[in-house]
């Protein structure tokens, strides 16, 4: 598991519009992604079924999960032998008005 910082707002482009619209810049959330490879769809589905935020829970190829659940997500993927396939990305800070 590796935490990456989010891209700067200028780099996000249209993605930042989606993040802002759905208030995903909240520091309580992070983005989780399964890397490409065999069984990716099944692993994505597991991630969404067990850990996704209720309601709006995905941004492009990422699933929105609570930051406090990041350890549980990593542990679950380790249990099934796919810890190396998980990326967790911190969300950017909200823009200043």
């Amino acid at each position: 598991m590796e935490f990456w910082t989010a891209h700067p707002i200028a780099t996000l482009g249209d993605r930042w519009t989606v993040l802002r619209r759905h208030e995903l810049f909240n520091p309580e959330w992070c983005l989780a992604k399964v890397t490409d490879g065999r069984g990716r769809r099944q692993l994505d589905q597991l991630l969404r079924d067990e850990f996704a935020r209720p309601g709006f829970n995905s941004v492009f190829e990422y699933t929105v999960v609570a930051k406090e659940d990041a350890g549980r997500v990593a542990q679950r993927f380790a249990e099934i032998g796919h810890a190396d396939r998980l990326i967790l990305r911190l969300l950017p800070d909200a823009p200043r008005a």
Side-chain angles (χ1 to χ4, degrees), residues 67-93:
K67 193 183 292 184
E68 67 184 27
D69 289 339
R72 287 187 20 225
V73 173
Q75 182 179 3
R76 179 73 170 110
F77 271 68
E79 288 171 1
I80 61 173
H82 292 288
D84 61 331
R85 304 273 309 276
L86 180 65
I87 295 171
L88 293 168
R89 180 164 275 193
L90 299 176
L91 292 165
D93 293 330

Side-chain angles (χ1 to χ4, degrees), residues 41-72:
R41 290 182 189 200
Q42 291 87 352
L43 292 171
D44 270 340
Q45 192 61 48
L46 176 126
L47 182 62
R48 290 188 174 134
D49 289 346
E50 294 187 20
F51 299 103
R53 175 176 104 161
F56 183 82
N57 61 17
S58 63
V59 178
F60 303 98
E61 69 272 13
Y62 289 93
T63 300
V64 181
V65 299
K67 193 183 292 184
E68 67 184 27
D69 289 339
R72 287 187 20 225

